[in-house]
Amino acid sequence: MRTSRIRIAAVAGATTALALGFTAYANSATDSGTRTHTGTVAHAAPYTSTGSVEQAAGQVIASEGHAPSATGQQVTVASAKKTVTSAKKTVAVAKKKHAPRATSTSVRQCSGDEISYDVLHRFPKQLGEHLLVTAMNADSTSCWVTASPSVMLGDTVNVLPHSKKDAPGGTARITLKPGAKVYSAVNLFADGKKKRTSTELSLALRDQGGDTGPAVELNAFTSKGAVSKFTWSSADVTNWNTAKPYDF
């Protein structure tokens, strides 16, 4: 981020300038007999990296036991080393604190446009008759589905209820990688007085709040690929699952 670079440059520049700004007068021997080396240190531009701080250290500390001098105040080699070391630590901490963090992309919910559906009419007019709905992610990116599909049979406007024989819940997300499939079953019961017949159904995906997306119109087919009529007086639907329901 731009703000991070500015902060690091300001910290490193200010600290390096402090180290390079130390100057000293050339004096004769003091009472203790200590002498200082005469010379002038050129001021450098602000540094923004640990390597540049080390270069500044080489300019400040000309040689072991000597401190650079110019106009201003006296400084010892020990204090110059300590200042440069502090500058290096400050730059390191600033970089670590303001280093950009990698962000992970969350898997989106399947909208329905990327899903390819197939409806197989299984066990016609037999016990356990149902429509096996297969949903495949035909997109190049992953997405998730949840709960059970919203289904209406034929020209009816009533959404089928969730099967009481199915596992409760169904609010967990099932992630579909490209090419992955999930399954649901529309259970058909024709033991009532009022029966209906159709080859079509309307299906839409739900979100975790129960709201539905755009619906698609689908036909049921036999195992041989022919359009298949189904009859029902009542019906219900199971949750999406990675395993085929009633796979026997």
Side-chain angles (χ1 to χ4, degrees):
M1 294 176 62
R2 179 176 298 176
T3 302
S4 299
R5 296 194 188 99
I6 291 175
R7 289 176 178 174
I8 293 172
V11 171
T15 311
T16 305
L18 177 63
L20 296 179
F22 287 129
T23 55
Y25 278 116
N27 297 318
S28 56
T30 62
D31 293 339
S32 59
T34 304
R35 297 182 61 85
T36 56
H37 181 71
T38 302
T40 302
V41 178
H43 290 271
Y47 293 88
T48 59
S49 67
T50 302
S52 298
V53 172
E54 292 174 346
Q55 295 174 14
Q59 295 180 28
V60 173
I61 305 172
S63 62
E64 186 65 28
H66 295 83
S69 61
T71 304
Q73 52 190 200
Q74 292 186 342
V75 65
T76 64
V77 173
S79 62
K81 284 184 177 181
K82 183 176 181 181
T83 302
V84 173
T85 301
S86 177
K88 292 167 67 176
K89 289 183 179 179
T90 302
V91 172
V93 170
K95 284 185 175 181
K96 183 177 181 180
K97 182 177 181 181
H98 299 289
R101 296 180 179 179
T103 57
S104 59
T105 304
S106 300
V107 177
R108 60 182 176 81
Q109 179 183 356
C110 299
S111 65
D113 294 337
E114 67 283 89
I115 301 298
S116 173
Y117 296 98
D118 180 69
V119 181
L120 176 63
H121 187 189
R122 303 186 74 194
F123 313 123
K125 299 179 181 180
Q126 299 179 42
L127 184 64
E129 180 181 7
H130 66 277
L131 304 176
L132 175 64
V133 181
T134 302
M136 184 186 76
N137 182 5
D139 201 6
S140 58
T141 59
S142 298
C143 63
W144 57 265
V145 296
T146 188
S148 60
S150 177
V151 177
M152 293 184 292
L153 299 179
D155 59 357
T156 63
V157 294
N158 296 322
V159 176
L160 297 183
H162 178 240
S163 174
K164 294 180 180 179
K165 295 182 180 180
D166 195 16
T171 57
R173 296 180 181 182
I174 300 177
T175 298
L176 290 177
K177 294 181 179 180
K181 299 178 180 180
V182 287
Y183 307 92
S184 176
V186 176
N187 300 308
L188 303 171
F189 307 101
D191 51 1
K193 294 181 179 180
K194 188 176 182 179
K195 297 180 182 179
R196 294 176 177 270
T197 300
S198 182
T199 63
E200 300 178 345
L201 65 151
S202 175
L203 183 148
L205 298 177
R206 301 178 191 268
D207 61 20
Q208 289 183 304
D211 295 328
T212 59
V216 293
E217 302 294 329
L218 303 169
N219 278 313
F221 293 88
T222 66
S223 58
K224 295 182 179 180
V227 175
S228 181
K229 287 185 178 182
F230 53 89
T231 301
W232 78 99
S233 55
S234 63
D236 56 31
V237 62
T238 66
N239 291 323
W240 292 115
N241 201 302
T242 55
K244 292 181 180 180
Y246 318 125
D247 193 17
F248 45 79

